[in-house]
């Protein structure tokens, strides 16, 4: 895109004369081929989520989360009640379409309708959800909602720079690393450098194509193993 200049010859960003503030996301359900997303409810989903998280061998999945590991169901239910009605972050439960059980959560957050920007965060996937078609589809459903239904321009992912699995996941899903904000946050008694990633609206068509190719039943063999990686299907 060519560089614009103002009346004084200074370089400025490209004009958006028709831009208007975008709608805020709503607490609505989303349906995919492999999973549902529903607004998080402690009453409906809490016990299933705690049981799913309890399948992990230890508490390492919570190291880079703001929440702590939960020692018992009551502790998780209290946490779920605290976050279920928030409008930023907006937490959604991921429901396995076959078992109809909640297996993880994720949230839309740092929502800026004026600028058309939001972030995906608080991604808490249980062992029943990690590295499954459901996990990828859950991200696809919210990303499609942001770009196509709400008309947002930018979709962000941020994580602790020490969290290599999260960094890898962002790149796999089509986000681009923009940089590292040093000493950005203090949490859990330690300093955090934060990696910033994004997808912008002009990139969405290619990112969407990769998702749809990867999620297609034809991309999986009889044993459920992927034939092609998401990154490869996003190219060309």
């Amino acid at each position: 895109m060519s560089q614009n200049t103002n009346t004084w010859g200074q370089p400025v960003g490209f004009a958006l004369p028709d831009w208007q503030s975008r709608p805020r996301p709503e607490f609505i359900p989303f349906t995919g081929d492999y999973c549902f997303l529903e607004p998080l409810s402690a009453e409906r989903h809490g016990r299933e989520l705690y049981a799913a998280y309890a399948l992990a061998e230890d508490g390492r999945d919570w190291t880079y989360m703001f929440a702590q590991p939960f020692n018992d169901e009551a502790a998780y239910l209290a946490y779920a009640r605290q976050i279920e009605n928030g409008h930023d972050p907006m937490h959604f439960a991921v429901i396995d379409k076959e078992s109809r059980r909640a297996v993880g959560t994720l949230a839309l957050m740092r929502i800026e309708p004026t600028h058309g920007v939001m972030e995906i965060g608080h991604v808490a996937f249980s062992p029943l959800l990690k590295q499954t078609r459901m996990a990828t589809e859950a991200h696809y459903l919210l990303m499609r909602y942001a770009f196509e239904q709400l008309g947002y321009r930018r979709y962000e992912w941020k994580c602790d720079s020490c969290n290599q699995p999260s960094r890898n996941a962002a790149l796999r899903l089509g986000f681009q690393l923009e940089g590292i904000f040093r000493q950005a946050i203090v949490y859990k008694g330690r300093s955090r450098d934060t990696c910033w990633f994004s997808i912008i609206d002009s990139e969405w068509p290619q990112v969407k194509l990769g998702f749809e190719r990867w999620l297609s039943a034809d991309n999986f063999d009889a044993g459920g193993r992927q034939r092609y990686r998401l990154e490869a299907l996003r190219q060309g």
Side-chain angles (χ1 to χ4, degrees):
M1 187 173 296
S2 60
Q3 179 68 63
N4 292 339
T5 57
N6 65 13
T7 55
W8 298 283
Q10 296 169 302
V12 294
F14 64 91
L16 294 173
D18 299 321
W19 173 258
Q20 295 182 2
S21 180
R22 308 313 302 155
R24 290 191 63 85
E26 299 180 54
F27 271 129
I28 58 176
F30 301 91
T31 302
D33 292 329
Y34 310 108
C35 70
F36 302 106
L37 300 184
E38 296 179 352
L40 176 63
S41 164
E43 181 177 354
R44 291 199 309 274
H45 308 123
R47 288 177 174 81
E48 293 176 357
L49 286 167
Y50 176 74
Y53 294 138
L55 295 173
E57 294 182 0
D58 53 38
R60 71 183 60 202
D61 288 344
W62 302 95
T63 297
Y64 303 111
M65 304 287 286
F66 286 96
Q68 300 286 357
F70 300 96
N71 295 325
D72 52 41
E73 184 182 270
Y76 181 75
L77 290 175
Y79 170 74
R81 293 187 190 101
Q82 178 183 345
I83 66 173
E84 66 181 345
N85 294 317
H87 291 281
D88 192 346
M90 298 174 62
H91 292 264
F92 292 85
V94 183
I95 314 298
D96 183 330
K97 204 167 184 179
E98 289 189 2
S99 71
R100 305 288 171 140
R101 298 181 69 83
V103 291
T105 63
L106 70 176
L108 297 174
M109 59 184 290
R110 299 188 185 278
I111 301 161
E112 295 284 353
T114 300
H115 307 296
V117 178
M118 71 173 74
E119 178 183 340
I120 187 70
H122 294 279
V123 179
F125 287 179
S126 77
L128 297 176
L129 182 54
K130 287 183 179 182
Q131 298 181 336
T132 66
R133 280 177 269 188
M134 292 185 293
T136 297
E137 187 176 57
H139 282 292
Y140 167 68
L141 291 172
L142 287 182
M143 211 178 289
R144 185 178 65 182
Y145 177 54
F147 284 118
E148 297 188 5
Q149 291 182 245
L150 301 179
Y152 276 57
R153 305 174 62 234
R154 175 180 169 87
Y155 195 78
E156 298 177 335
W157 177 296
K158 302 185 185 79
C159 66
D160 191 315
S161 64
C162 296
N163 188 353
Q164 194 61 50
S166 184
R167 296 174 67 163
N168 293 343
L171 295 173
R172 175 183 175 272
L173 293 169
F175 290 84
Q176 294 191 28
L177 176 64
E178 296 179 329
I180 298 176
F181 284 45
R182 299 178 299 163
Q183 298 186 182
I185 292 175
V186 176
Y187 77 139
K188 294 185 173 180
R190 60 181 188 260
S191 179
R192 181 178 112 166
D193 293 353
T194 298
C195 291
W196 284 54
F197 298 83
S198 74
I199 298 170
I200 58 175
D201 53 359
S202 61
E203 298 162 347
W204 169 241
Q206 197 68 29
V207 172
K208 177 184 178 180
L209 178 63
F211 276 122
E212 293 182 344
R213 287 171 169 174
W214 190 87
L215 290 166
S216 171
D218 294 339
N219 188 45
F220 297 89
D221 63 21
R225 293 177 291 271
Q226 67 177 0
R227 300 183 190 277
Y228 300 100
R229 294 167 56 88
L230 177 58
E231 299 93 317
L233 293 173
R234 198 162 48 240
Q235 309 303 317

